[in-house]
Amino acid sequence: MKKHPSNERELRVSRDRLAELLNEDLAREYQAIIAYVVYSQVLKGAEFMSIAEQLQSHAEEELKHALIISRQVDYLGKMPTVTPKPVRTSDDPREMLRFDLDNENETIRNYRDRVRQCEAIGEFALAEQIREILVNEQDHQIDLATALGEEVPNVSDPV
């Protein structure tokens, strides 16, 4: 698995490096939008109807996140990426939810790092915007873990 900045002591980053990292986050937001749009439509069975509806609203929230992150990349003087991370699919509804939960866990870890990085270079307003996104991402994580009948994963420890 990819190391996280908290492991690498990459808290004090340049504005250019922060823009690169935010572009990676933006690619993950695109991935989430696509996954939630598709998964919300293909999940079948009474057991998954409630989470399918939640995934539709998650898709809308992820679009808002993408707009916020792309604006911040532009603010830092870089061009926002246009390429999503790959989206995994499956015929197994539980496996699709697992993919989503794994992606949310990674997103939460990365946004926690981003908040620390923003604050380390004095970008407090940017850190605040990411904090607001983080609240939504943690709600998504809770929804997915609940749908899978699991405890919410502890992603506080570095991977």
Side-chain angles (χ1 to χ4, degrees), residues 96-108:
M96 283 191 286
L97 295 175
R98 166 69 46 216
F99 295 156
D100 271 345
L101 182 56
D102 291 346
N103 290 339
E104 289 294 353
N105 293 339
E106 181 179 358
T107 296
I108 290 167

Side-chain angles (χ1 to χ4, degrees), residues 17-36:
R17 179 66 181 140
L18 181 59
E20 289 172 14
L21 293 167
L22 287 170
N23 260 332
E24 290 178 21
D25 297 329
L26 182 55
R28 248 186 311 285
E29 293 292 351
Y30 295 155
Q31 173 193 46
I33 293 165
I34 295 165
Y36 285 136

Side-chain angles (χ1 to χ4, degrees), residues 8 12 17 20 22 43 57 60 62 73 81 110 113 116 122 124 128-130 141 150:
E8 300 169 0
R12 185 105 178 125
R17 179 66 181 140
E20 289 172 14
L22 287 170
L43 283 175
S57 70
E60 294 169 8
E62 299 292 0
V73 171
T81 188
N110 282 296
D113 289 340
R116 289 188 283 272
F124 300 108
E128 198 58 36
Q129 297 233 348
I130 295 171
Q141 180 193 40
E150 300 177 2

Side-chain angles (χ1 to χ4, degrees), residues 4 6-7 109 112 154-159:
H4 291 282
S6 54
N7 289 359
R109 279 189 206 97
R112 287 177 179 176
N154 177 1
V155 295
S156 295
D157 299 326
V159 178

Side-chain angles (χ1 to χ4, degrees), residues 69-87:
I69 296 299
S70 64
R71 181 180 176 106
Q72 299 311 312
V73 171
D74 178 65
Y75 161 75
L76 293 170
K78 297 296 178 185
M79 177 64 74
T81 188
V82 297
T83 308
K85 298 268 184 191
V87 177

Side-chain angles (χ1 to χ4, degrees), residues 40-85:
S40 70
Q41 301 308 306
V42 301
L43 283 175
K44 304 288 187 246
E47 144 183 41
F48 299 108
M49 295 317 293
S50 176
I51 190 64
E53 288 178 24
Q54 288 176 327
L55 296 182
Q56 285 184 0
S57 70
H58 289 188
E60 294 169 8
E61 291 169 348
E62 299 292 0
L63 175 57
K64 290 176 185 173
H65 301 167
L67 290 167
I68 292 166
I69 296 299
S70 64
R71 181 180 176 106
Q72 299 311 312
V73 171
D74 178 65
Y75 161 75
L76 293 170
K78 297 296 178 185
M79 177 64 74
T81 188
V82 297
T83 308
K85 298 268 184 191

